[in-house]
Each structure stands twice: as C-alpha cells, then as structure tokens.
Amino acid sequence: MEDILAHESELLGLVKEYLDFAEFEDTLKTFSKECKIKGKPLSKSACGSLRDSKSLIIQRDLLAAFDSGDQKMFFDLWEEHVPSSIRDGDSLAQKLEFYLHIHFAIYLLKHSAGRPDKEELDERISYFKTYLETKGAALSETTEFLPFYALPFVPNPMVHPSFKELFQDSWIPELKLKLEKFLALIFKASSTPKLLTLYKENGHSNKEMLQQLHQQLVEAERRSMTYLKRYNKIQADYHNLIGVTAELVDSLEATVSGKMITPEYLQSVCVRLFSNQMRQSLAHSVDFTRPGTASTMLRASLAPVKLKDVPLLPSLDYEKLKKDLILGSDRLKAFLLQALRWRLTTSHPGEQRETVLQAYISNDLLDCQSHSQRSVLQLLHSKSEVVRQYMARLINAFASLAEGRLYLAQSTKVLRMLEERLKEEDKDAITRENVLGALQKFSLRRALQTAMIQDGLIFWLIDILKEPDCLSDYTLEYSVALLMNLCLRSAGKNMCAKVAGLVLKVLSDLLGHENHEIQPYVNGALYSILSIPSIREEARAMGMEDILRCFIKEGNAEMIRQIEFIIKQLNSEELVDGVLESDDDEDEDDEEDHDTMEADLDKDEVIQPQLGELSGEKLLTTEYLGAGKPSRVSSDSPTRQERLPSVPAERAPSSLQRGQAWCF
C-alpha cells in the first residue's frame, strides 16, 4: 500500500496522459474532478511533461556538446537517444551525421587561437577516419561526400580548395540549424503515452517474433546497402567512361589538325580506365609507348571470371509433394509452391538450374500431362488468394526458361487456364502480373499465339490499356509487349481492324505515357496494324500523322527513326505490307533459346514462417527428400529453339529476348 501511495501521483498522471491522448474528454473531466474531490491532485510533472522536459534536456546537451566540440559526449547522446532505425535507415539522418563528424574532426582547426594541440587533433582525425571506414563507407560513392574521404590525409585542410566551404563563417551556423530542426522533429515524434509504451514493452508482444523480424530487417538493409554500393560504383564508372570518351573525341579531332597524342596522355587515359587498385602500379610499371599495349590491357581486364563448381540439389519425393499440393492445407500449399519456385529462381544458372527444371518436368510437377480433374494446375482456381498467387508465380518461373516454356506449351490447357485467371482477377494484383508475364513469354509460340488471338485476348488488352495510369509498371509493360506480339500476326491485325478507332486511340495515348519502356512496343504495334488499309484510313481520319509529328519534336534519335517509319507506313497505299507479315500457316516457332529469371518473381512475399515452421529449401529437404541422387542433364539432350520478344528493362523478357521484336 505504501508503494502505491508513494507512486500514486505519477500513476494518476499516466492515466490522465492516456485519456488525453485517446481523446476521452468527458472521462478526463470526470477523472480530474474526482481526483480533486478525493484530495489526490495529479502530478504537475505528469509523464508527458516529464518526457517533454527530458527531451528538452537531451536536445540542450546535444547542442552544448556541438558548440563546445565535445565529440565523445555528443555521439554518446546521439547513439543513445536517436533511434538506430532512423540513424541507419533515414538518408537525411545519415547525411547530417556525416557532416557532424566533419564538424568535430576540424573543430580545433577552426577554434584554436594558435596552433591546435597535435595529439588531440590527430585523435579527432583518427576518429573521423574510423567512421569513414566503417559506418560512413555507405556514402563513399555519393558525389556530394566523395571529396571529404580525402580530408584525413590532407596535411592542411584549411588551405585546400576542396574544403574551402568548411572553413567559411556560415558553415557551422547552417549545420547547427539543421541539427536543431532534426532534433526537434525526432523528439516531437516521440509522443506515445507512457502507459501504452509500458503495455507494449511488458504486455503480449512476442519477443522472439520481434527478434526474428529484426533479423529480417537487418538482412534486408544489408542487401539494400550492398545493391546501393554496386549502383553507385556503376554510376561512377559510367561518369568516368563518359569523361574519358569526351576527351578521346577531342583528341581525335585534334589529330585532324595535325596535333599528336603523346604517350603520357595515352598513359593517363588508360590509367583512369582501370580500377583504383591497379592505377598506382600501372602508372609506373607499364610502357604505354609500345603499340598495342593499352588496347591489350583493356581487353585483358574484361577476361571472364571462372565460375566455381556448384553442387546439385538433393532429389525430392515428387509423389508426396504433388499429393500435399492437392490435398494439403492452403498454408502448406503456399509454402510448397514458394519453396519449389525458390528452387528455380535461386539456383545457379547452368547445370544446377537445368537439373532442377528437368526433375520438375520429368515428374510432371504441374500435371500438364495429367487428365485428372484434381491436378496441381487447378491451384490456379483455388479459393485462397495466396495459393492462386503463388501458383501463378511458379508458372511464370517455368515460363522464364526455354525448357519450361516447352513443357507448359504441350497443349493449350495451361494457356486456357491462364487466360481464365487473367480475366477473373479484377484488380492489378501480383497474381495477374505473373499470369500476364507467363502469357507474354508464350506470345511467339505460333500455336499458342493463334489461340490467344482467337480467344479475343487483344480486346482484353485494349480494354485495360484504356486507363494505363491505373496499372502497375509490370502490368503496363507486359500488356503492351503482348499486344505488339499478337499484332505481328495477320490474324491479330485483322482483329484490331474490328475496333480500329479504339485501338488507334489507345496506342496514340500510350505514345505520350511517362513510362518510356513501353515506347518501342507501342511503335511496333502501330507500325504493324497500319499495314491494314482500313486501319490506315481510320488513322488518317483522326489526324494520326499530326499526333506522331508532335512526338518527333520530343523524342530521341531511335524514337524519331521509328516514328518516321510509322508515318511512312501510314501514308503507304500498298494493300499488303510485306515487311512484318508472317505466314500464319507456318509451323515453326521463330524463337531463340534464352533463360533469364526476372527479379519480380520473388518480390513482395506475402507469407512468412512462424516460429518452428519450415519453409523454403529446408521444408523440401526435411519433409520431401527423395531416394537416390539427382539426375544430371545430358549434354546431347534435344532443345527447342525459342525466341521471345524483347520487353522491359529489369524484368525477365528484356534479357530473355535480346533480339528486336520489330525492325524497319
């Protein structure tokens, strides 16, 4: 009882704070009134006030440490009171922290009356250098910060032109103002009532689950940082290459006037083209005056890396797998479909991936050859949205590989089911994206292409493309690419002629869409259907030439070239165009053999294993391990030559289908 009385005022303050936060206005008035009647006044320093007061003290201490140059105190407070999720995940916080490290590194140089104490200055510079090599390394490829990585190695930064702005009188006040705004924003965001915080910390939260989610977040952040570093390095190399190219062009122009290129200049150019690790040794050890030296070294730098041997994955019990895919719970089905897809998408290209795919095909994993009413393919029509989505993802993964496409295309059964699923998905969901992706990869198989045209898929595509801004980038790009592929056939052109006005309006609207990835496919579709006289007449009536010429003024060289050919086609008087016309009676598929897994296949996973629940490869090898060793792919096994149309960057079709889908 004494303990309760000792903390009664603070406890009542917690209740008051929560009622105020939850906007229980009448309850709060009654509560305050009753406390007053019973002689139990609320603590004037209620939790909210205590927290606000504490926040002000922390902000004041941080700013005081900033002004006094107390590096240790500042960063101790910084790491203790600024959440790590913000420090490590917010770009503005990372940039501010970088400049704060610079501030403390050069503090003595700016505030010492005479020469700064060398030992203390060296200690500060060493601290800054350690930061650059650890946490600060994430910004090493950012142009804004790149010059400051040389600061620890410059004897007198105060006179170095790269650091001139750091020693201007306005630099510290501006940085302090940014710090004040940041701290005010951070501490203002922390307005959750203490009572709610206590409940979350000590209530029903699952600590193990939180740890698991934290580990996943750390891993995701690590991968994100790795990709960011790669991107920044590629960007820097690109800028370097453009700069060197510009100089070489200037040099070539100079040679026309009789000016010679010196060996020293050639050496400097070549050194700039190599990695940082090689530059120093090259500058002193290579004689670039010898003819062919530079070009030989450049070509040698592109030598392919020898791949390590990759072990084959263990074989599986496919009978048990298929049984559970048909009869298991929806959650088990989803995890199995996910694990089987991951086996394909994460396997190493070459023998490992080929062996996985051949095992799937030889065991008829998707029941493409089965005539039973209860088959794995029927999961496309499952009542569970997750199961439907994961089935569509797996089919799309199969379709990303040449042998997988051949397996799926044995009959039109898979095609019909995909078309049905496509039309039943009434929103732009991941399921529809993957179904559309698979159909697009089928779109130059002549038998399936003919079936798509006969099934009226062109009309469905035109209908959804009427509102392109409502579609995801994936859906938009694959829809336009699929439409173009179907329009390459005379049967497809004739279908378009039935709704010529609508098709032309949709395609002309898409010409100006902000997603520039679709432009080549819109151009291809236009060029193809304008070989039909009735469509040309409709296009002329709607002023298509004027519309096209508007885009000539804004487009790049390739876009302009394509539009000029479209205009030429528009003004043609030929009854039949022979450039893109294909023989619909020809049986051979005009395709190349390309295998590429698109990154979107594994995006936005919607299921996560709970504690103790198996998933991925661990699920397969624990519950479905088969007898015997995995079979290897025969080197002389027959393959079907396939070519898919080139479509959007960053997605499978772009790398699957390097050849141009249409040409002039």
Side-chain angles (χ1 to χ4, degrees):
M1 186 67 178
E2 291 180 0
D3 290 342
I4 296 176
L5 292 174
H7 300 285
E8 187 175 42
S9 179
E10 185 178 351
L11 290 171
L12 293 173
L14 292 176
V15 175
K16 179 180 182 296
E17 181 196 31
Y18 180 77
L19 292 174
D20 186 30
F21 171 79
E23 298 181 354
F24 288 107
E25 297 177 2
D26 294 338
T27 306
L28 180 58
K29 290 178 182 177
T30 304
F31 176 74
S32 300
K33 182 179 180 181
E34 190 169 355
C35 285
K36 188 175 182 180
I37 292 173
K38 293 185 176 182
K40 297 182 178 182
L42 298 174
S43 173
K44 292 183 179 179
S45 57
C47 188
S49 302
L50 286 171
R51 185 169 58 253
D52 291 342
S53 176
K54 185 178 179 182
S55 298
L56 289 173
I57 293 172
I58 295 169
Q59 293 180 65
R60 185 191 65 195
D61 291 345
L62 280 165
L63 292 172
F66 176 90
D67 291 333
S68 64
D70 192 335
Q71 182 172 260
K72 185 177 186 307
M73 176 182 287
F74 182 90
F75 285 111
D76 285 347
L77 290 170
W78 178 268
E79 293 180 5
E80 180 181 357
H81 297 291
V82 178
S84 60
S85 59
I86 295 176
R87 285 187 282 113
D88 300 332
D90 184 84
S91 60
L92 292 177
Q94 290 175 328
K95 290 181 179 181
L96 177 61
E97 186 173 351
F98 192 98
Y99 283 119
L100 289 169
H101 276 278
I102 294 176
H103 164 71
F104 288 106
I106 65 174
Y107 183 84
L108 293 180
L109 295 175
K110 300 190 70 171
H111 293 84
S112 297
R115 295 188 64 182
D117 182 87
K118 187 176 185 306
E119 184 176 348
E120 185 178 354
L121 179 61
D122 289 344
E123 183 180 345
R124 286 174 178 267
I125 294 296
S126 176
Y127 188 87
F128 180 53
K129 185 179 178 182
T130 301
Y131 166 75
L132 294 178
E133 293 172 348
T134 54
K135 190 175 179 181
L139 299 173
S140 61
E141 299 296 339
T142 305
T143 306
E144 178 184 351
F145 300 105
L146 192 58
F148 300 117
Y149 283 79
L151 194 151
F153 308 99
V154 175
N156 189 359
M158 295 181 69
V159 298
H160 196 283
S162 297
F163 311 122
K164 182 179 179 181
E165 64 171 307
L166 301 179
F167 295 93
Q168 294 178 357
D169 293 338
S170 61
W171 190 77
I172 289 182
E174 289 175 357
L175 179 61
K176 185 177 180 180
L177 181 60
K178 292 179 181 178
L179 176 61
E180 289 174 341
K181 290 181 177 179
F182 176 79
L183 294 176
L185 185 63
I186 290 299
F187 288 109
K188 183 179 179 182
S190 179
S191 60
T192 305
K194 183 68 177 297
L195 190 63
L196 185 58
T197 303
L198 290 172
Y199 175 79
K200 288 181 177 179
E201 291 177 351
N202 303 295
H204 303 288
S205 58
N206 189 322
K207 293 184 178 181
E208 292 181 350
M209 180 63 73
L210 289 175
Q211 290 175 352
Q212 184 182 14
L213 291 173
H214 178 69
Q215 290 176 355
Q216 292 176 1
L217 177 62
V218 170
E219 179 62 18
E221 290 176 343
R222 184 192 65 78
R223 289 197 304 268
S224 175
M225 195 58 65
T226 300
Y227 297 146
L228 179 62
K229 288 179 180 178
R230 291 177 184 174
Y231 166 78
N232 288 333
K233 184 172 187 313
I234 291 172
Q235 187 180 50
D237 289 343
Y238 169 77
H239 290 161
N240 180 48
L241 184 60
I242 292 297
V244 172
T245 303
E247 289 187 19
L248 290 176
V249 171
D250 290 341
S251 301
L252 286 173
E253 291 177 350
T255 57
V256 176
S257 304
K259 296 181 181 179
M260 297 296 293
I261 297 176
T262 65
E264 291 77 13
Y265 172 78
L266 182 61
Q267 181 179 15
S268 68
V269 170
C270 291
V271 167
R272 286 171 58 191
L273 287 172
F274 288 97
S275 62
N276 292 328
Q277 293 81 359
M278 298 176 62
R279 288 177 184 173
Q280 194 65 29
S281 60
L282 283 175
H284 301 288
S285 61
V286 180
D287 181 11
F288 287 97
T289 60
R290 293 168 54 192
T293 301
S295 60
T296 300
M297 293 199 66
L298 285 172
R299 291 189 180 96
S301 70
L302 298 175
V305 179
K306 185 177 180 180
L307 297 176
K308 296 180 180 179
D309 292 334
V310 179
L312 300 183
L313 296 172
S315 59
L316 304 175
D317 184 344
Y318 287 95
E319 288 301 319
K320 183 180 178 183
L321 261 172
K322 291 165 70 173
K323 180 179 178 182
D324 285 353
L325 281 171
I326 295 173
L327 302 176
S329 66
D330 286 340
R331 186 166 179 82
L332 176 59
K333 292 175 183 178
F335 274 120
L336 286 176
L337 292 170
Q338 181 189 60
L340 291 166
R341 165 167 49 89
W342 282 352
R343 259 211 168 196
L344 276 180
T345 59
T346 63
S347 58
H348 291 270
E351 186 177 17
Q352 188 185 72
R353 179 169 290 170
E354 290 171 4
T355 305
V356 170
L357 182 61
Q358 288 298 328
Y360 286 180
I361 294 173
S362 61
N363 288 280
D364 193 18
L365 176 64
L366 301 184
D367 286 332
C368 290
Q369 301 168 355
S370 171
H371 298 289
S372 172
Q373 291 185 346
R374 303 188 72 176
S375 67
V376 175
L377 274 177
Q378 294 299 323
L379 295 180
L380 266 178
H381 301 312
S382 170
K383 294 181 180 179
S384 167
E385 183 178 354
V386 176
V387 173
R388 294 198 307 271
Q389 179 192 132
Y390 276 51
M391 184 62 189
R393 287 179 187 251
L394 181 58
I395 291 176
N396 198 9
F398 266 83
S400 298
L401 305 172
E403 288 299 314
R405 293 190 291 275
L406 182 60
Y407 167 66
L408 294 172
Q410 295 177 80
S411 70
T412 58
K413 178 172 67 172
V414 178
L415 172 66
R416 304 296 186 200
M417 296 184 73
L418 289 173
E419 288 179 336
E420 187 177 346
R421 182 79 268 137
L422 184 70
K423 295 170 183 177
E424 287 181 0
E425 292 292 332
D426 57 354
K427 58 183 178 179
D428 197 21
I430 295 178
T431 304
R432 190 169 78 171
E433 287 184 355
N434 280 274
V435 170
L436 191 58
L439 288 172
Q440 195 278 333
K441 292 160 191 173
F442 288 168
S443 60
L444 279 188
R445 284 197 164 280
R446 307 189 77 77
L448 299 182
Q449 190 183 67
T450 300
M452 290 185 212
I453 295 171
Q454 291 175 348
D455 292 344
L457 194 56
I458 286 178
F459 300 141
W460 184 88
L461 291 168
I462 291 297
D463 187 58
I464 68 162
L465 289 173
K466 287 190 293 187
E467 298 181 358
D469 292 335
C470 299
L471 306 176
S472 67
D473 286 341
Y474 189 104
T475 300
L476 176 62
E477 293 163 11
Y478 277 74
S479 296
V480 177
L482 176 55
L483 176 62
M484 181 197 71
N485 293 341
L486 299 182
C487 288
L488 294 178
R489 297 284 298 278
S490 57
K493 300 173 193 177
N494 293 329
M495 280 288 184
C496 290
K498 296 178 181 180
V499 287
L502 178 59
V503 174
L504 289 169
K505 183 181 184 308
V506 167
L507 291 176
S508 61
D509 289 345
L510 289 173
L511 279 172
H513 197 274
E514 61 182 8
N515 187 335
H516 299 298
E517 299 291 343
I518 67 173
Q519 287 180 351
Y521 316 111
V522 176
N523 293 344
L526 269 175
Y527 184 83
S528 183
I529 65 174
L530 286 174
S531 64
I532 303 295
S534 61
I535 298 180
R536 285 203 300 270
E537 291 177 11
E538 185 73 28
R540 291 168 187 164
M542 64 182 289
M544 178 64 75
E545 183 172 351
D546 292 336
I547 296 173
L548 292 169
R549 292 199 180 279
C550 289
F551 291 104
I552 286 183
K553 299 175 183 178
E554 303 175 0
N556 55 37
E558 180 61 22
M559 177 76 167
I560 292 171
R561 188 180 71 88
Q562 292 180 2
I563 290 179
E564 286 175 344
F565 275 101
I566 296 173
I567 293 174
K568 184 178 179 180
Q569 178 83 308
L570 174 64
N571 294 322
S572 171
E573 296 300 332
E574 296 180 6
L575 294 179
V576 179
D577 174 64
V579 178
L580 288 175
E581 190 71 41
S582 58
D583 184 357
D584 289 348
D585 295 328
E586 186 179 343
D587 293 330
E588 183 179 356
D589 291 317
D590 182 21
E591 302 182 5
E592 295 174 1
D593 187 10
H594 284 292
D595 293 344
T596 301
M597 285 293 179
E598 56 192 278
D600 285 340
L601 284 167
D602 295 328
K603 74 172 184 179
D604 300 334
E605 297 287 357
V606 294
I607 57 170
Q608 296 292 341
Q610 298 176 354
L611 292 176
E613 197 170 23
L614 297 176
S615 66
E617 191 65 21
K618 192 170 184 180
L619 169 62
L620 295 179
T621 55
T622 301
E623 301 292 337
Y624 300 94
L625 198 60
K629 299 179 180 179
S631 59
R632 294 179 177 268
V633 181
S634 173
S635 60
D636 59 351
S637 60
T639 59
R640 182 68 171 273
Q641 296 300 310
E642 301 182 72
R643 179 174 68 81
L644 296 177
S646 59
V647 282
E650 296 300 326
R651 301 197 169 87
S654 66
S655 42
L656 272 170
Q657 308 139 19
R658 293 295 184 186
Q660 289 202 352
W662 70 301
C663 56
F664 300 101

